[in-house]
Amino acid sequence: MIDKRPAVIVRCADVADVVSSVDFARANDLELAVRGGGHSGPGLGSVDAGLVIDLSQLRDIRIDPDRRTVRVAGGCTLGELDRATHEFGLATPSGIMSTTGVGGLTLGGGTGHLSRHYGLTVDNLLRVDMVLADGAVVSASAGEHPDLFWAVRGGGGNFGVVTSFEFRLHPVDTVVGGPTFWPIERATDVLRWYRDFITSAPRELNGFFAFMTIPPAPMFPPELRGQKVCGIIWCYSGPTEHADAVFAPVRAFAAPTLDGIQPMPYPALQSSFDALVPAGLQWYWKADFFAELSDDAIAQHVAHGNEMPTPLSSMHLYPISGAVHDVAADETPWAFRQADFAQVIGGVDPDPANRALVTDWAKDYWADLHPHSAGGAYVNMMMDEGQDRIRAAYGANYDRLAAIKGEYDPGNLFHINQNIRPAMPAVHT
């Protein structure tokens, strides 16, 4: 989907390389993009005729098991982070695919399998080291550059290049999780049951709803491969001896076509989708937050879910209740703290000839659901959709972000992102 041609790509070996690259781009008036894991749907990790700072060589991970913290270099993926912390029976909330970059996911907020239990990724961020637009190297935390620290916890890559992150860790080792699938004809019933169940479920239980086509993979029974289904991918991160009781209401609701719930190491759940969606696919995303799932909204979901245009196209509905609601809307840039769901519609296919097919389906689906939404979307799941959508994503927090942007990047050097335009300080005479 993305075919950008940078003038130069700098594969930084250390922070000094990042500083040199930022200084060079600024001095030569070059467009500047920053690439972490390369998962940006709109291709914001690259730029035509400009300079790309590629952080993929920065892979250091240091764990302090006594403090339950981890410092992660800016080029690491979630899989690398999960494998390292798992050795100590610990984890921090992140996404749902191990190939995702830690940096991009974190800077946009970070929602995934542990969100209801332990909050968003940014709720567990303790400190960042970063290179600013003027080439300065700073640390930001609650006690140092607190405005900058507030801004990077959801404000994206607008404020500099983060070269390392420090996260709080939690005791997560073996989880009980996996999919339950039902025939797509049951989608209305499943969605109505799911909206009520998940918001009142124990915080240790997370489960995101999905429309999908069962892939031709060995993990699935041959007779189910190729079928369109609705399903929920579960993760229970509480005591494993309580799992049967927690999942009893799930199994009591309706017998699924496939029940894949089982104990597994947390990194195994995190990497379970990797083989199904390799690099190089055609992707088009559309997203929104939802305060509720009305019957009318469910009707639109069912109509469009039945029309998935390709086997890899899907819709995910992530629960963002539980611990996510413990944080006030103005404590981080993530403004939709009282929403219950974050939706992403993904039109996906390997064939470039189907680009319009998957894109049109995602756009049409979104257009019919948007009137039922909370008005904004998760920035990590947005395409290049213009300033109005960026403002809507941050709501009442946008003006504060713009003011901090004006302080730390007044020239908007870092603008190849979901861009927050710098607000200039008022001039008093």
Side-chain angles (χ1 to χ4, degrees):
M1 284 293 251
I2 309 300
D3 186 23
K4 296 182 179 179
R5 307 299 176 95
V8 60
I9 299 170
V10 184
R11 304 186 75 191
C12 298
D14 52 29
V15 175
D17 283 351
V18 177
V19 173
S20 297
S21 301
V22 169
D23 287 344
F24 185 84
R26 187 185 63 254
N28 290 278
D29 199 24
L30 284 172
E31 296 274 271
L32 176 64
V34 183
R35 184 188 186 279
H39 261 237
S40 172
L44 298 174
S46 190
V47 62
D48 280 318
L51 187 151
V52 173
I53 292 177
D54 183 344
L55 300 177
S56 61
Q57 305 301 298
L58 305 184
R59 305 300 264 263
D60 187 50
I61 298 175
R62 300 185 182 184
I63 298 166
D64 185 332
D66 295 326
R67 292 179 58 234
R68 288 186 177 174
T69 60
V70 59
R71 293 200 69 160
V72 186
C76 290
T77 64
L78 300 186
E80 292 163 341
L81 171 60
D82 292 333
R83 286 191 293 273
T85 60
H86 185 69
E87 292 295 320
F88 298 89
L90 300 169
T92 199
S94 55
I96 64 164
M97 290 190 64
S98 74
T99 53
T100 307
V102 171
L105 176 114
T106 301
L107 293 174
T111 181
H113 292 302
L114 300 177
S115 296
R116 296 192 72 249
H117 196 176
Y118 294 120
L120 303 174
T121 307
V122 292
D123 299 336
N124 294 274
L125 184 62
L126 300 173
R127 182 187 186 92
V128 295
D129 296 320
M130 58 192 300
V131 179
L132 302 180
D134 63 0
V137 180
V138 302
S139 294
S141 64
E144 299 176 84
H145 299 283
D147 275 357
L148 181 61
F149 184 59
W150 179 87
V152 299
R153 287 181 290 160
N158 278 282
F159 305 95
V161 184
V162 179
T163 56
S164 74
F165 302 81
E166 182 177 2
F167 297 105
R168 180 184 302 109
L169 295 172
H170 302 275
V172 178
D173 190 351
T174 297
V175 298
V176 181
T180 49
F181 293 142
W182 292 269
I184 201 164
E185 294 78 14
R186 296 296 309 275
T188 299
D189 293 338
V190 174
L191 274 167
R192 287 177 174 173
W193 170 80
Y194 170 75
R195 71 179 174 192
D196 298 327
F197 173 74
I198 196 62
T199 52
S200 59
R203 290 185 172 205
E204 297 88 350
L205 182 63
N206 200 92
F208 69 86
F209 177 92
F211 284 119
M212 61 180 291
T213 302
I214 296 182
M219 68 183 76
F220 300 111
E223 66 274 13
L224 297 182
R225 297 171 193 170
Q227 288 189 21
K228 290 183 178 180
V229 295
C230 62
I232 301 168
I233 291 78
W234 302 99
C235 176
Y236 173 66
S237 50
T240 54
E241 62 269 22
H242 298 165
D244 285 345
V246 169
F247 283 109
V250 178
R251 291 170 170 139
F253 157 65
T257 302
L258 176 72
D259 183 343
I261 298 170
Q262 58 188 296
M264 65 184 77
Y266 178 64
L269 181 63
Q270 280 282 74
S271 60
S272 59
F273 285 96
D274 294 355
L276 305 180
V277 281
L281 297 172
Q282 306 289 303
W283 286 80
Y284 194 87
W285 294 342
K286 292 291 288 186
D288 263 326
F289 290 117
F290 289 82
E292 61 177 358
L293 284 180
S294 67
D295 286 350
D296 288 343
I298 287 173
Q300 294 295 340
H301 277 298
V302 172
H304 289 280
N306 273 283
E307 299 299 323
M308 286 183 290
T310 61
L312 290 176
S313 294
S314 65
M315 187 284 295
H316 291 179
L317 203 58
Y318 302 113
I320 48 172
S321 52
V324 179
H325 286 186
D326 291 346
V327 179
D330 61 355
E331 285 188 56
T332 69
W334 180 290
F336 289 84
R337 287 289 180 169
Q338 292 310 304
D340 281 334
F341 302 100
Q343 175 201 39
V344 60
I345 303 160
V348 188
D349 195 70
D351 189 349
N354 288 329
R355 176 175 181 160
L357 180 69
V358 299
T359 299
D360 290 347
W361 173 76
K363 288 181 175 179
D364 291 345
Y365 193 156
W366 178 87
D368 285 342
L369 260 295
H370 183 64
H372 305 279
S373 76
Y378 177 29
V379 292
N380 282 353
M381 296 298 187
M382 287 168 51
M383 304 300 282
D384 185 3
E385 301 176 32
Q387 280 296 302
D388 287 347
R389 284 284 284 162
I390 295 170
R391 281 184 168 273
Y394 292 112
N397 291 328
Y398 184 89
D399 288 344
R400 182 179 177 189
L401 285 166
I404 297 170
K405 175 79 168 177
E407 179 181 354
Y408 286 95
D409 185 16
N412 207 10
L413 179 68
F414 299 108
H415 66 271
I416 308 298
N417 45 44
Q418 299 293 355
N419 191 232
I420 296 161
R421 294 174 180 170
M424 296 299 102
V427 177
H428 299 286
T429 59

